[in-house]
Each structure stands twice: as structure tokens, then as C-alpha cells.
Amino acid sequence: MNPELQGRTFPPTEPYLVGREKVREFARAVFATNPINLDPEAARAAGYADVVAPPTFAVVVQEQTLAQLLADPESGIDFSRVVHGDQRFTSTRPIVAGDLLTATLTVASVKSLGGHSMVTAESAITDAEGAHVVTAVSTLVVRGDE
Amino acid sequence: MMPAPDFASLTVGDVVAERSFPLTRDSLVRYAGASGDFNPIHYRDDVAAEVGLPGVLAHGMLTMGLAVQPVVDWAGDPGRIADYQVRFTRPVVVDPQRGATITVAAKVGQLDEAATVARIDLTVKLGDDTVLGKAQVRVHLG
């Protein structure tokens, strides 16, 4: 694990178009039962343009940024040793079907603890207008040699 | 629009929602497809054994994703969830025959009156074992 990664910002990901059926598929997979997640009519009645994604849907977009980090030869992260430690989503507004989202990853911190490394990756997700939607933060624990 | 729960009527310690989620291997395959996380430790016993795991595990993000649902239903609108965080403290092994049942209890942890935000603390368990630590949801009720 390369400590000089701390503070580094990666290039924005390709825009991700949030599809209505993808939102519904994801909602069913996380056992969502709220009609605003599943039924466009219910979502419109609640004031949204289309179905609203569950709170953890942002992980689908964030995933593209974590792939950038793990694929970077300079990061020195062995994917087979990575354990997901913490996860957080901080939203300005919910993700709605029809959104075109772009994610930009910053490596907030790299720490060593015992033989392990901990990397905190912050992915800021913005819409087509460039406005903030949600920031997804993952702490990944990279296990050292046993 | 679903009315929000009445902020003024809440007290720290109130249990606002409880639900149990019976997971099967089918649930894991469904989540893999929906999320795009196709790590084989979530559906192949041989791969799980090879890397030293006690069995096929549920995706941590599946556990996180379902654990907030009782709060979404209580809040009435998924758009009221302003912030959600968890720590993954223990893996959820999903038996091929019996599956695994996750239970969630959601309790008022803190009330921010100026912002009308309730912090809801989740207790997420598999049997007697807690599987998520510091699981907190900030819900906007203004």
C-alpha cells in the first residue's frame, strides 16, 4: 500500500445514467417495500420526477471509482487482501431515475495499523448540472502478510 | 406525499421500527446482479472455502442496504434519509439450505431540534451476534 496516495484525486468517471428498471431491480434486491422506490406514480405523487433509489444505491456508481483505485499500479493494493471496513453515504438529495451521475474519487487518508493498511476513499457524486448529490465514503482494510 | 413522523412526539430510546429479513442464496445472487458485485465468495462454496471463509457470505452492502429499509418505511419517503453509515463487524454466512435471518431494530439515538433531524441507531443481528457496528441513519423530518 502506497502512503503517497493520500490526498490524490482521480479523474471523474464516465457519466452513469440511472435507469428506472435498475432502480427497481436494486430496490427489490435490498428488500425495499416503499412504493416511492418502486412505482413511478407513487414517486410522482411524492414530488419526484421518477422512482427514487434506495439510500445505498450510490454504491453502484461509487464502485467505478473503487475500480480505478484498485486498478492503479501505483496504489499497491492487493485486491484479494481487501476487507470492507466502514461505509457511509451523505446525501444532498436522493438519486432519482433519469439522473446522469459522475463520481470523483479522492483518497482522504492512508494509515498503517499493525501490519495492516487502512485507506479511506471518498467518492463525490454529482449530477448533470454539476450539483452535489451524495458522497460515498468507504474505508478499506488491506491485510498485511500473516 | 406520505406525512413524516411527528418530530415533536419522538423521544430518545423509542423503538421506531423492527423487521426480520430471511436471506437465502437466491437473495445473494439477486443482489449480485442488481449491484454488479460479482465477487464469487458471495455465491460459490468452493471459492469461499479456498480463501478460508466459514462459508458463502452475504455482501456487506446487502446487509447495509436492507437494514435501512425499516427506517425508510417509518420515515415514509426514502428521500428523507440524509446520511447513513455502518461498520462491518462480522460476516453473515448464508447456509445453502437454511439461509440466514437478519433482524433489525431501529431506535431513536439523538434528536437535533434545530435541524429537525433524528438520528436512528440500528441494531442488526444474525441470531445473537451483531453484524453491523455504529449503524446510524440521519433522517430529515422537517
Side-chain angles (χ1 to χ4, degrees):
Chain A
M1 177 88 232
N2 176 4
E4 284 172 22
L5 221 55
Q6 182 163 313
R8 180 151 164 215
T9 296
F10 285 71
T13 54
E14 287 295 310
Y16 178 97
L17 179 59
V18 179
R20 176 190 290 170
E21 296 306 335
K22 192 69 195 175
V23 168
R24 287 153 53 112
E25 181 190 8
F26 188 92
R28 286 189 292 264
V30 294
F31 297 78
T33 48
N34 194 290
I36 297 171
N37 291 131
L38 299 162
D39 175 7
E41 284 305 314
R44 276 192 281 269
Y48 298 103
D50 206 323
V51 290
V52 173
T56 59
F57 181 81
V59 71
V60 175
V61 183
Q62 180 199 11
E63 180 53 35
Q64 298 176 302
T65 63
L66 296 178
Q68 285 178 311
L69 173 66
L70 297 172
D72 188 327
E74 282 179 31
S75 76
I77 298 174
D78 175 358
F79 182 59
S80 69
R81 292 179 178 278
V82 172
V83 179
H84 199 174
D86 304 345
Q87 180 71 33
R88 183 170 195 166
F89 298 100
T90 303
S91 305
T92 301
R93 66 161 178 90
I95 294 174
V96 176
D99 279 338
L100 191 65
L101 302 175
T102 303
T104 306
L105 169 70
T106 301
V107 179
S109 78
V110 178
K111 288 178 196 150
S112 277
L113 203 76
H116 309 306
S117 306
M118 273 170 52
V119 53
T120 301
E122 283 188 16
S123 304
I125 298 175
T126 54
D127 63 18
E129 280 74 49
H132 181 261
V133 178
V134 54
T135 295
V137 183
S138 289
T139 301
L140 305 176
V141 181
V142 188
R143 289 176 295 136
D145 298 315
E146 265 106 54
Chain B
M1 185 166 180
M2 282 275 296
D6 179 18
F7 185 84
S9 72
L10 298 175
T11 307
V12 170
D14 286 353
V15 175
V16 296
E18 283 179 298
R19 192 172 156 194
S20 66
F21 296 90
L23 296 184
T24 62
R25 290 287 176 87
D26 306 44
S27 320
L28 309 193
V29 172
R30 186 183 286 253
Y31 185 77
S35 67
D37 181 346
F38 292 103
N39 186 333
I41 64 164
H42 303 302
Y43 53 89
R44 278 183 55 180
D45 293 275
D46 58 329
V47 174
E50 211 171 278
V51 297
L53 296 171
V56 160
L57 306 183
H59 305 75
M61 288 304 303
L62 169 56
T63 305
M64 183 180 186
L66 62 82
V68 74
Q69 294 306 322
V71 182
V72 169
D73 288 337
W74 168 74
D77 183 333
R80 295 197 175 109
I81 309 300
D83 186 290
Y84 179 31
Q85 65 175 320
V86 306
R87 177 160 293 165
F88 301 103
T89 51
R90 191 185 281 265
V92 174
V93 176
V94 180
D95 183 86
Q97 263 101 41
R98 286 169 285 129
T101 298
I102 293 177
T103 58
V104 178
K107 205 183 257 193
V108 177
Q110 199 179 64
L111 293 165
D112 179 345
E113 285 175 29
T116 53
V117 168
R119 194 191 82 203
I120 306 298
D121 296 347
L122 306 178
T123 303
V124 183
K125 290 186 164 186
L126 176 68
D128 294 329
D129 298 327
T130 299
V131 296
L132 296 180
K134 209 191 174 194
Q136 300 181 341
V137 194
R138 282 184 171 74
V139 186
H140 220 284
L141 297 175

